[in-house]
Amino acid sequence: MSKLPVGWSAVRLGDVCELINGRAYKQDELLESGKYPVLRVGNFFSNKSWYYSNLELEQDKYCDDGDLLYAWSASFGPRIWEGGKTIFHYHIWKTRCAEHALHKQFLYYWFDWDKKNIQADHGTGSTMIHVTKGDMEARSLSLPPLPEQRRIVSKIDTLSANSKRVRSHLSHVPRLVELYKKSVVDFALRGDLTRTWRANLSDHGKWKTLPAAELFRWSSGKNLTAKAMRPGAIPVLGGNGINGYHDTALVDFPTIVIGRVGAQCGNVHLSRAPAWITDNAIYASSFSQKIISLDYAVMVFRHADLNARAGGSGQPYVNQSVLNAVNISLPTIKEQAELIRRVEKMFAWIDRLAAEATSASKLIDRLDQAILSKAFRGELVPQDPDDEPASVLLERIKAERTGVTPARRGRGRPRLSAAI
């Protein structure tokens, strides 16, 4: 920043904040259970895979509720600790602020904002970022007067709470999309989606229900080892979709491909062109084309929740018996086509809303960063000429370190206008 706001001072972080390293551990010191949790970088942003220790250490090697921490290796950034008395690892700093000059929550927000600058310094391709203690202590911090820091924190808190609320609402969108699409298909398979359309036809035909066994014949795919895979124009289809390409087709007709076992169990795909079907999938080797369309069949089988019907107490599996037991509500071929058209139209609308929600989430992230940038330029809250300038606070810190009392500048509390 070329020109600081009134009453602000440029400082090195190390002049107003002490960074305290945690302790490095040998593997045999990390226990499955013990008196103290050991906070490592891997636990910094999650609660998975904790280790513990019974070691009694000097107090600086523990963090406690309210401490501002900073992970400086790989997954890096700040966190206000709320997990009780905990031993923290060497790759984490505990901060100790000069409290009469630097507000802890202000520093937290500055750390969060400056993290983006550190990432930019390391380049967009960097994945394992390390920040040395010396580099962090040397980083330049534009320091406002302490009362202004409090106003900035209060404003950011309010705006962050609003962002958090919006994020919470947006986080429900994927689940709502899933439920809405399911409701659309429910509506379609009951005949409600085309009820008016059907009423306007003189010969609309009646719906009937048939088991899949009367409509389909199933076959299992065949193994294709990685060594046998080679470049080609024929897609290789399995339970998780296209796995690659080959120069030979197992089937040369449109078909349904359904995941047979494990994580792909019950996944339903539509192959419209020649394909190789792998052995972790089942496909329709024939079907009654005059009675059911493949697009309609895909919708039915996806809606049938085959994974819930799967057998197996450990690894789930779907076989021909499971598929044949699915009952299918059948309108005429013409109505099936109309249903698919309407469902796809509604799905496209739902997907557009979901895409807008995703864009909104990204926009909120950029907005949060813009708010922080504005805050640290001195543009988020107004300056108060009665605030004690940061320069006076810094002189006080220097005096405490050197034992020399700073000279008084006139009577009473210094004003910002007198400090520039």
Side-chain angles (χ1 to χ4, degrees):
M1 184 184 298
S2 58
K3 185 177 180 182
L4 292 173
V6 174
W8 291 41
S9 292
V11 299
R12 291 172 68 258
L13 178 65
D15 292 336
V16 290
C17 175
E18 182 183 1
L19 302 177
I20 303 167
N21 273 109
R23 184 181 184 276
Y25 291 88
K26 299 176 182 177
Q27 190 60 40
D28 60 5
E29 292 179 324
L30 299 173
L31 311 175
E32 293 299 320
S33 62
K35 185 175 181 180
Y36 303 110
V38 177
L39 175 64
R40 300 173 299 149
V41 172
N43 307 119
F44 202 75
F45 299 107
S46 75
N47 283 316
K48 297 179 179 179
S49 304
W50 280 87
Y51 283 110
Y52 297 84
S53 173
N54 292 321
L55 294 172
E56 296 294 342
L57 307 172
E58 57 269 30
Q59 282 304 116
D60 274 351
K61 301 307 178 187
Y62 297 96
C63 59
D64 214 332
D65 292 341
D67 283 335
L68 172 56
L69 308 178
Y70 195 101
W72 56 267
S73 175
S75 298
F76 76 104
R79 178 177 178 182
I80 301 290
W81 183 244
E82 296 176 347
K85 189 174 181 179
T86 303
I87 297 171
F88 63 102
H89 193 268
Y90 180 78
H91 288 151
I92 297 168
W93 294 313
K94 179 172 69 173
T95 66
R96 183 178 290 143
C97 301
E99 294 182 358
H100 52 275
L102 182 59
H103 190 289
K104 181 171 60 180
Q105 190 69 24
F106 178 86
L107 180 59
Y108 167 83
Y109 283 129
W110 183 83
F111 274 146
D112 199 38
W113 169 76
D114 189 55
K115 181 174 68 175
K116 299 291 184 183
N117 300 325
I118 295 172
Q119 287 172 322
D121 292 344
H122 281 74
T124 55
S126 300
T127 55
M128 296 291 287
I129 297 176
H130 300 267
V131 186
T132 68
K133 188 174 181 181
D135 286 343
M136 183 59 81
E137 289 172 337
R139 293 192 76 80
S140 179
L141 168 65
S142 297
L143 190 69
L146 192 57
E148 187 173 345
Q149 292 179 43
R150 296 190 185 102
R151 294 195 298 274
I152 289 172
V153 166
S154 178
K155 186 70 171 180
I156 295 176
D157 283 347
T158 299
L159 296 173
S160 295
N162 292 339
S163 295
K164 186 176 181 180
R165 230 175 358 255
V166 174
R167 272 198 192 86
S168 177
H169 292 315
L170 291 175
S171 70
H172 297 300
V173 169
R175 178 59 178 158
L176 292 174
V177 165
E178 181 184 339
L179 291 174
Y180 195 17
K181 285 186 173 182
K182 183 179 184 302
S183 296
V184 168
V185 178
D186 277 338
F187 201 56
L189 296 181
R190 289 199 309 264
D192 294 332
L193 192 59
T194 47
R195 186 183 302 280
T196 303
W197 176 89
R198 194 166 55 247
N200 291 327
L201 294 179
S202 56
D203 182 21
H204 53 70
K206 292 184 177 180
W207 286 51
K208 55 187 174 182
T209 299
L210 294 175
E214 294 188 24
L215 300 167
F216 296 91
R217 294 291 177 269
W218 306 98
S219 295
S220 294
K222 293 186 178 179
N223 184 41
L224 186 63
T225 63
K227 186 179 291 187
M229 293 276 280
R230 50 186 180 267
I234 306 298
V236 176
L237 283 169
N240 58 348
I242 296 177
N243 299 325
Y245 292 86
H246 195 52
D247 58 6
T248 303
L250 182 62
V251 297
D252 58 2
F253 49 83
T255 187
I256 299 176
V257 179
I258 298 176
R260 186 177 60 82
V261 67
Q264 293 90 38
C265 175
N267 291 349
V268 181
H269 307 281
L270 175 58
S271 172
R272 297 189 185 277
W276 184 280
I277 314 299
T278 65
D279 60 349
N280 70 347
I282 298 172
Y283 67 94
S285 53
S286 65
F287 65 99
S288 303
Q289 299 182 49
K290 293 182 179 180
I291 301 177
I292 187 168
S293 74
L294 280 179
D295 288 298
Y296 185 77
V298 166
M299 183 172 70
V300 168
F301 281 112
R302 284 178 177 169
H303 191 67
D305 193 4
L306 296 175
N307 201 24
R309 299 168 180 249
S313 56
Q315 184 165 250
Y317 66 86
V318 165
N319 56 22
Q320 296 184 25
S321 297
V322 172
L323 299 180
N324 284 334
V326 175
N327 288 319
I328 299 177
S329 298
L330 279 171
T332 63
I333 284 287
K334 185 176 181 180
E335 188 168 352
Q336 290 176 39
E338 180 63 16
L339 279 168
I340 293 299
R341 186 189 71 80
R342 293 186 179 211
V343 167
E344 288 179 347
K345 183 178 180 180
M346 295 182 78
F347 277 17
W349 176 74
I350 296 168
D351 289 338
R352 277 197 302 274
L353 292 180
E356 289 174 6
T358 300
S359 297
S361 289
K362 293 177 180 177
L363 182 61
I364 290 171
D365 291 339
R366 292 197 294 271
L367 180 61
D368 285 347
Q369 191 66 12
I371 288 169
L372 293 177
S373 296
K374 194 171 182 180
F376 300 119
R377 290 196 304 266
E379 300 171 1
L380 191 62
V381 298
Q383 278 81 48
D384 185 340
D386 288 328
D387 288 343
E388 186 176 58
S391 59
V392 176
L393 304 178
L394 296 173
E395 287 180 8
R396 191 175 298 139
I397 294 173
K398 184 178 180 181
E400 289 176 356
R401 290 177 176 173
T402 61
V404 177
T405 303
R408 295 192 60 168
R409 299 183 177 180
R411 294 181 180 179
R413 183 170 154 192
R415 292 174 58 87
L416 292 180
S417 55
I420 58 173

